[in-house]
Amino acid sequence: GAAVSLLAVLVTSFFLFRLIPGDPVKFMTGGRQVSAEQLAAYREQFGLDLPLWQQFTDYCGKALTGDLGTSYQFNAPVVDKITEALPNTLLLTGTAFVLYTVLGIVLGTRSAWRNGRFGDRFHTGLALALYSLPSFWLGLLLIVTLSVGIGPLPGLFPTGGMESGGGEAGFAYAVDVAHHLVLPVVTLVAVEYGQTLLVTRSALLDEMGSDYLTTARAKGLRDDLVRRRHAVPNALLPTVTLIFINLGRTVAGVILVETVFSWPGLGGLFYQALSVPDLPLVQGLFFVFAAAVIVMNTLADL
C-alpha cells in the first residue's frame, strides 16, 4: 500500500503543479527583453519543449533512479537543494516535535486522570483554542509583540532568519541559532501540542473504566502506579500513530511558519519554488514531503 501511494504521489506531483499559472522560462530571463529564439532555446535546455507525455516518462524514469531534476532558479540539482535545506528544517521542526509531543502526552494524561476538574477544563480549553489558531497569524503576533516590541516592551528576539550573520563560531554560533529558534518553535508548539493532548486524553478516558484498572487498585497499587504502569501504556496506541505521522511531517517542515520567520528550510524553499514556478524543485519537495509521511505511517503500523 505504501509503494502504491508513493507511485500515486509521483504521478500527482507531475501533473498538479503544471496547473500553476506562470512561465518559468520568462522568470529565468529576469524580466529582460529576449527574442523568441532565446525563449525557445531555454525551453529546449530544460525539456519544456517536449510533449507532456514525454516529459512525464522522463521525470518518472529519473525519479526512480534518485534524480529529481535540476532547479530552474538555482540551476542546481534538486536533490542537492533538498539536502542543503533539510538539516535546518529538522532542527526547527524536530525541536518543536519533541516539545509538543512530551507536553501533549503529559498534560493529556493529567487532564484525563482529573477529568472534569478545573485543571482538565483549563488545559482542554487552552489546547482547543491554540490548536484552532492559524500558525502564520500566531507567528506574526509573536513577531509584533516579542521581536518588534510594543510600547515600553522592547524587542527580545530576532524577527526572522537562522543567524545574525556576525561570523560567530562555536558556542557563540549555537547561542545565536538558539536565539533565532525560540519564536518559530514556540509558534509550532503552541499550535501543535493541543492535538496530542486531546488524542491522549480521549484514549485514556476510554481506558479508565476498564476491569484491569479496578483489579490493579484492588491489589493495593497506588493511583499513580495504576496510571503509569497500566492505563497509560494501553491508551497510547492512537497517540503513537499520531506521533509517527507528526514525525513524518517534521521532514516536510511547516511552510507558513518557515516563510513567516524566513527560516531557510524545506518549507521556505517550497514557497520560493511555488512563486516561480520552479517545477522540478516543487515536484521534488512535494514527493519528499509525502514520502516522509507515508514511510512513517507504515512504520507506525509495523
Side-chain angles (χ1 to χ4, degrees):
V4 173
S5 298
L6 287 172
L7 182 61
V9 168
L10 191 67
V11 174
T12 303
S13 66
F14 178 84
F15 292 102
L16 177 65
F17 295 110
R18 274 161 175 75
L19 301 176
I20 300 174
D23 189 348
V25 173
K26 291 183 178 179
F27 174 86
M28 286 183 283
T29 61
R32 302 187 306 270
Q33 292 292 332
V34 295
S35 63
E37 291 78 10
Q38 289 174 309
L39 290 176
Y42 271 118
R43 289 192 170 90
E44 182 179 358
Q45 177 184 349
F46 291 99
L48 296 173
D49 61 328
L50 298 174
L52 190 62
W53 67 267
Q54 189 172 348
Q55 294 183 44
F56 174 68
T57 55
D58 290 346
Y59 164 70
C60 290
K62 291 180 179 179
L64 293 176
T65 63
D67 181 4
L68 297 177
T70 301
S71 168
Y72 296 159
Q73 56 181 325
F74 298 106
N75 196 26
V78 169
V79 173
D80 291 350
K81 297 302 297 182
I82 292 176
T83 304
E84 178 184 326
L86 180 59
N88 301 336
T89 287
L90 292 180
L91 175 63
L92 171 61
T93 56
T95 303
F97 166 78
V98 172
L99 292 176
Y100 70 67
T101 298
V102 172
L103 189 65
I105 291 176
V106 171
L107 294 181
T109 301
R110 292 176 63 87
S111 293
W113 210 251
R114 293 169 173 79
N115 183 33
R117 299 182 185 177
F118 173 78
D120 173 40
R121 295 196 300 270
F122 173 78
H123 287 302
T124 304
L126 182 63
L128 282 170
L130 292 175
Y131 186 50
S132 65
L133 292 179
S135 58
F136 73 91
W137 180 84
L138 181 59
L140 290 173
L141 191 63
L142 290 177
I143 289 176
V144 170
T145 55
L146 298 178
S147 292
V148 178
I150 296 180
L153 181 66
L156 302 175
F157 299 97
T159 56
M162 184 176 173
E163 56 185 81
S164 300
E168 295 90 349
F171 180 73
Y173 176 75
V175 172
D176 183 41
V177 172
H179 193 213
H180 286 75
L181 196 64
V182 171
L183 289 187
V185 165
V186 168
T187 302
L188 289 175
V189 171
V191 172
E192 296 291 342
Y193 93 97
Q195 184 183 27
T196 307
L197 183 151
L198 294 172
V199 170
T200 302
R201 178 182 179 274
S202 176
L204 187 55
L205 285 175
D206 290 340
E207 295 290 330
M208 286 177 60
S210 301
D211 292 340
Y212 70 90
L213 295 184
T214 304
T215 303
R217 291 189 181 95
K219 290 166 63 176
L221 290 181
R222 297 194 309 273
D223 203 48
D224 60 333
L225 290 178
V226 173
R227 180 181 71 246
R228 188 171 69 249
R229 292 183 181 178
H230 297 276
V232 172
N234 285 284
L236 281 183
L237 181 61
T239 306
V240 168
T241 303
L242 177 64
I243 287 172
F244 271 89
I245 293 176
N246 287 338
L247 189 59
R249 289 172 54 201
T250 62
V251 177
V254 182
I255 297 173
L256 292 177
V257 172
E258 288 193 1
T259 302
V260 167
F261 289 99
S262 303
W263 190 265
L266 295 180
L269 189 63
F270 188 77
Y271 177 79
Q272 293 179 42
L274 274 177
S275 62
V276 173
D278 189 342
L279 296 178
L281 187 54
V282 169
Q283 290 166 182
L285 287 167
F286 183 80
F287 179 74
V288 169
F289 294 167
V293 176
I294 291 172
V295 169
M296 287 302 168
N297 195 40
T298 304
L299 291 178
D301 286 344
L302 294 175

